[in-house]
């Protein structure tokens, strides 16, 4: 069962400048940063709030590290802006299988490693009214890592 909005992914050309905007404009601080070589992105997670299920909601800022990455291609075509929405779930495997059974294309056969040690998969945007949708099972996060 999907329990929350885990994060909104925002593609950007310059991660540092985009972080500075969200910090100066809204007061959001960076909770976690990492480079995901597999996905070809450098990212910053800005924590918005904690949630009742023990998780949290974030803005995920994504800067491509290479032009041929999915985010790099998307950014070249669409420019900066909302890239995807992610819903939190206690069991990404079960929810992906359930959603697949309803005729929605799940992009990964098996969930992959996502931000902060999470397990993720994506749903095809053409099956989700034009919205790239991510399912996330969060790893236990004890403290922020930068």
């Amino acid at each position: 069962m999907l329990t929350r909005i885990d994060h909104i992914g925002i593609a950007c050309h310059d991660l540092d400048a985009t972080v500075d905007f969200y910090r100066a404009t809204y007061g959001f601080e960076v909770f976690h940063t990492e480079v995901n070589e597999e996905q070809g992105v450098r990212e910053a997670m800005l924590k918005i709030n904690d949630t009742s299920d023990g998780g949290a909601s974030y803005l995920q800022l994504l800067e491509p590290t290479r032009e041929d990455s999915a985010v790099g291609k998307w950014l070249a075509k669409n420019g900066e802006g909302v890239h995807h929405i992610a819903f939190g779930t206690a069991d990404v495997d079960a929810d992906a299988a359930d959603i697949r059974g309803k005729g929605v294309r799940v992009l990964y056969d098996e969930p992959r490693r996502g931000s902060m040690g999470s397990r993720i998969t994506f749903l095809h945007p053409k099956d989700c009214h034009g919205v790239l949708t991510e399912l996330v099972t969060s790893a236990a996060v004890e403290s922020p890592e930068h």
Side-chain angles (χ1 to χ4, degrees):
M1 173 194 309
L2 305 180
T3 58
R4 69 184 181 287
I5 294 175
D6 185 85
H7 66 271
I8 305 292
I10 300 172
C12 62
H13 292 290
D14 183 334
L15 184 67
D16 297 325
T18 306
V19 164
D20 288 346
F21 168 81
Y22 280 96
R23 180 180 289 127
T25 305
Y26 306 115
F28 298 152
E29 291 297 331
V30 174
F31 181 79
H32 176 86
T33 60
E34 71 180 84
V35 174
N36 185 320
E37 296 294 344
E38 180 184 1
Q39 294 183 19
V41 294
R42 186 168 77 104
E43 65 179 77
M45 297 293 275
L46 286 63
K47 188 174 184 179
I48 307 306
N49 67 314
D50 292 310
T51 61
S52 62
D53 66 355
S57 294
Y58 302 91
L59 286 180
Q60 179 187 45
L61 306 179
L62 301 159
E63 175 189 70
T65 59
R66 56 181 199 270
E67 291 179 12
D68 69 339
S69 69
V71 172
K73 291 176 187 177
W74 188 91
L75 194 57
K77 180 180 177 183
N78 299 291
E80 293 185 310
V82 175
H83 179 261
H84 67 275
I85 186 169
F87 295 109
T89 172
D91 189 342
V92 68
D93 298 272
D95 282 332
D98 179 59
I99 291 169
R100 181 181 280 123
K102 295 174 181 173
V104 175
R105 287 174 281 179
V106 178
L107 299 184
Y108 303 152
D109 290 332
E110 296 291 326
R112 297 182 182 178
R113 181 195 160 290
S115 299
M116 300 184 292
S118 63
R119 296 184 71 241
I120 66 166
T121 196
F122 286 90
L123 309 178
H124 200 291
K126 289 185 179 177
D127 297 342
C128 299
H129 296 271
V131 178
L132 179 61
T133 303
E134 182 178 2
L135 304 179
V136 178
T137 297
S138 299
V141 177
E142 305 261 333
S143 62
E145 295 177 21
H146 294 283

